[in-house]
Amino acid sequence: MSDHSFEYWSSMAETLDHEGRAFIDGQFCPAAQSATFDCISPIDGKVLAKVAHCDQADVDRTVTIARERFEQGVWSGLPPAKRKGILLKFAALVEQEAETLAITETLDMGKPIAHALSVDVSATVRAIQWTAEAIDKLYDEIAPTGQDELGLVTREPVGIVAAIVPWNFPMIMAAWKIAPALAMGNSVILKPSEKSPLTALRMAALAKQAGIPDGVFNVLPGFGHTTGKALALHDDVDTLVFTGSTAVARQLMVYAGESNMKRVWTEAGGKSPNVVFADAPDLDMAAEAAAEAICFNQGEVCTAGSRLLVEDAIADVFMDKVRAAVARWKPGHPLDPATTVGAIVDEAQLNRILSYIDKGQKEGAQLRVGGERVRPVEGGYFVTPTVFEGVDADMSIAREEIFGPVLSVIRFKDEAQALALANDSIYGLAAAVWTRDLSRAHRFARGLRAGSVWVNQYDGGDMTAPFGGYKQSGNGRDKSLHAFDKYSELKATWIKL
Ligand code: NAD
């Protein structure tokens, strides 16, 4: 929780002057056609800033500059230890501006200030630091040849990386991509979500201050079907990295096929199962974790534990605990440091969540907790965390990603049924299993078709663990040393001696 009061954050919000211009070649500038869009705070529906809406001309100009800088070697040609030093300075500047960045994130996308500070800013700093620290410790390979040859396997930057990110963790999602992309020596163009563009623009200024050369890191705000599409179709973008919905991820693969076959790496949607066996070590802890897994960040989390699978034998007792735990997560003013549930990112997302709550009831599930729009702040978009029980695996609330605080509870009889239910999804991002039985924990974890598996906890891991999805949750991995694979090409050089 933040040390500051609601009054402190509210008065700070009044004094902020948000930068809304694009950041190209080390300068803030309006979009080529001077187009803008309104950046609206979901807390009260008011306009926070006018933000540049970049179009094809901005994308063309930025890609040309980014390519020039790449070829000149102003960044790509620096020794890794030099890039590390500059990136560490970048991380330190982000840390210094923690409060401004946190409040900007809260105002822009509605999350509680306490979480913006303790999760978003700190994870962003850690991601940049960890990646920077790693880059001068990566060795290339020498192939096991005979005496008369030398085989070198070297990693090289891919060139121009376009990163398109979503609105739920704007800074973290950006940092997971721009940090390894920059560390590897690439030129980077970041397109933040139109729903949360402000912290990316502030980070651009800090990157420049840290010493990242002009034109090496650029930020182009705009919409998906305009700015994002222009980047994805551009013939001189080498790699496109994306976090967002599965529908858009598919579209990006089409754009790559229609243009230059750029590499496309996607972190997409999820419908993650949280599986609680009767022998879970601590049912109170499991219930608290199940509530947090769907309420944290208003349920707007790709790895949200949105399907709770509970063994019949404990279901009645356990669900009493889960209902009580979820009811403690109450929407409040996001600038109040005691608030745990903030605003939903915008009206469209709120309506999407409400429509699923309606659908769940029509399909015959029992609405046991929440399910209503509330207004802790006039004009804002808030919904109470919601629990549906008696959910059937075929219902849309059990199959589709809602991206809001709506939990679907399904009961199971035995391990085989639990595993079948857990894997019965087009997604495979994450899963959790609660059991005291070590053999079952391993067996179940191995059977799960998911990129992250947690045992007796939800959402564990740090920068050392790769993060990404099986199936339609995407391809490739963020975080850990594996992330560098997305930002490098492997070259084999064979020398006759
Ligand atoms: P989204 O797919 O609507 O948008 C993501 C980004 O893509 C935005 O910047 C948007 O402007 C851009 N975009 C949209 N259409 C585009 C197009 N045609 N061409 C190019 N760019 C386009 O997703 P969202 O609503 O911002 O975020 C929610 C989704 O993100 C959820 O599905 C969630 O699961 C997913 N997500 C996944 C992860 C993960 O790591 N797997 C993490 C966070 C969020």
Side-chain angles (χ1 to χ4, degrees):
M1 203 163 110
S2 123
D3 294 336
H4 298 307
S5 62
F6 175 56
E7 289 69 31
Y8 174 91
W9 291 112
S10 302
S11 61
M12 188 173 174
E14 299 297 318
T15 63
L16 288 177
D17 188 12
H18 302 287
E19 176 59 72
R21 290 172 298 169
F23 188 78
I24 304 172
D25 200 11
Q27 309 298 326
F28 284 107
C29 55
Q33 310 299 329
S34 300
T36 60
F37 63 92
D38 286 343
C39 174
I40 292 168
S41 175
I43 298 177
D44 54 12
K46 291 188 185 144
V47 176
L48 276 176
K50 294 266 181 210
V51 174
H53 182 184
C54 296
D55 67 7
Q56 185 74 50
D58 300 290
V59 168
D60 289 344
R61 177 162 92 90
T62 311
V63 173
T64 303
I65 290 163
R67 175 65 66 190
E68 251 173 49
R69 297 301 183 274
F70 184 74
E71 299 296 342
Q72 288 161 353
V74 292
W75 179 252
S76 55
L78 293 184
K82 258 265 163 62
R83 294 199 296 266
K84 162 180 138 176
I86 293 172
L87 287 170
L88 286 176
K89 186 153 180 221
F90 180 30
L93 290 170
V94 171
E95 197 164 25
Q96 264 172 38
E97 286 222 356
E99 290 195 356
T100 313
L101 288 165
I103 192 172
T104 305
E105 207 78 303
T106 289
L107 295 170
D108 204 0
M109 70 70 66
K111 69 176 66 207
I113 186 68
H115 298 165
L117 206 50
S118 67
V119 177
D120 294 72
V121 177
S122 50
T124 300
V125 171
R126 272 201 309 279
I128 302 170
Q129 277 171 346
W130 192 92
T131 312
E133 287 290 359
I135 196 64
D136 65 347
K137 295 158 192 83
L138 286 181
Y139 287 75
D140 287 331
E141 297 164 15
I142 295 179
T145 56
Q147 292 289 330
D148 59 344
E149 282 184 318
L150 177 63
L152 305 178
V153 182
T154 50
R155 215 191 284 253
E156 297 183 350
V158 293
I160 311 300
V161 174
I164 299 181
V165 296
W167 47 262
N168 59 338
F169 294 99
M171 270 188 290
I172 302 177
M173 295 299 108
W176 284 2
K177 303 200 186 303
I178 63 176
L182 287 169
M184 193 49 82
N186 298 285
S187 293
V188 178
I189 304 168
L190 170 66
K191 192 205 88 64
S193 168
E194 60 276 20
K195 300 183 187 190
S196 61
L198 298 180
T199 46
L201 291 166
R202 186 62 206 145
M203 280 171 75
L206 299 178
K208 178 175 168 111
Q209 202 183 326
I212 293 178
D214 293 352
V216 168
F217 176 49
N218 309 277
V219 180
L220 300 184
F223 290 85
H225 62 277
T226 50
T227 326
K229 182 176 176 182
L231 281 168
L233 280 170
H234 202 290
D235 278 328
D236 206 28
V237 168
D238 297 293
T239 287
L240 181 61
V241 285
F242 169 79
T243 297
S245 61
T246 291
V248 173
R250 286 168 198 264
Q251 186 58 51
L252 298 182
M253 291 173 166
V254 174
Y255 291 151
E258 285 172 354
S259 54
N260 63 339
M261 266 176 73
K262 56 180 68 62
R263 284 87 180 97
V264 181
W265 301 100
T266 64
E267 303 279 353
K271 190 79 185 174
S272 299
N274 182 16
V275 184
V276 183
F277 283 98
D279 66 351
D282 181 339
L283 286 186
D284 290 312
M285 197 174 116
E288 291 297 336
E292 184 168 2
I294 194 64
C295 297
F296 177 69
N297 213 47
Q298 302 71 244
E300 297 161 327
V301 182
C302 52
T303 53
S306 51
R307 288 188 296 145
L308 178 60
L309 310 186
V310 188
E311 188 166 358
D312 270 337
I314 48 151
D316 290 340
V317 173
F318 184 65
M319 284 315 301
D320 284 346
K321 296 177 191 291
V322 172
R323 270 179 244 120
V326 170
R328 283 194 287 278
W329 288 76
K330 290 197 179 70
H333 198 304
L335 289 179
D336 181 341
T339 292
T340 51
V341 180
I344 299 299
V345 73
D346 67 1
E347 194 170 11
Q349 186 64 17
L350 175 76
N351 288 336
R352 176 184 163 87
I353 294 166
L354 294 173
S355 78
Y356 273 104
I357 292 173
D358 191 42
K359 219 187 266 185
Q361 293 176 86
K362 288 197 174 120
E363 288 180 344
Q366 300 147 20
L367 177 64
R368 299 297 302 268
V369 180
E372 289 159 356
R373 179 175 185 180
V374 286
R375 295 170 202 270
V377 188
E378 209 38 58
Y381 314 121
F382 297 84
V383 62
T384 46
T386 301
V387 178
F388 275 108
E389 293 179 47
V391 175
D392 190 279
D394 293 332
M395 292 178 184
S396 45
I397 56 168
R399 306 204 73 75
E400 294 166 27
E401 183 181 46
I402 300 173
F403 222 56
V406 181
L407 181 63
S408 297
V409 184
I410 303 175
R411 298 185 179 204
F412 66 84
K413 286 190 177 42
D414 56 24
E415 192 180 317
Q417 190 193 8
L419 188 62
L421 282 167
N423 285 334
D424 181 18
S425 172
I426 61 165
Y427 300 111
L429 192 56
V433 53
W434 298 76
T435 176
R436 211 183 253 134
D437 178 338
L438 188 63
S439 299
R440 168 146 70 192
H442 280 289
R443 194 166 56 232
F444 205 82
R446 192 178 294 160
L448 285 164
R449 305 264 303 138
S452 294
V453 174
W454 301 300
V455 178
N456 296 333
Q457 62 170 331
Y458 203 90
D459 211 10
D462 58 21
M463 277 304 294
T464 62
F467 178 83
Y470 282 32
K471 300 194 262 182
Q472 292 185 42
S473 288
N475 62 319
R477 295 293 182 266
D478 279 338
K479 305 200 301 174
S480 82
L481 297 182
H482 296 281
F484 289 117
D485 295 346
K486 301 202 277 198
Y487 305 102
S488 48
E489 290 284 10
L490 277 185
K491 179 177 281 176
T493 306
W494 226 247
I495 303 167
K496 185 82 189 156
L497 302 178

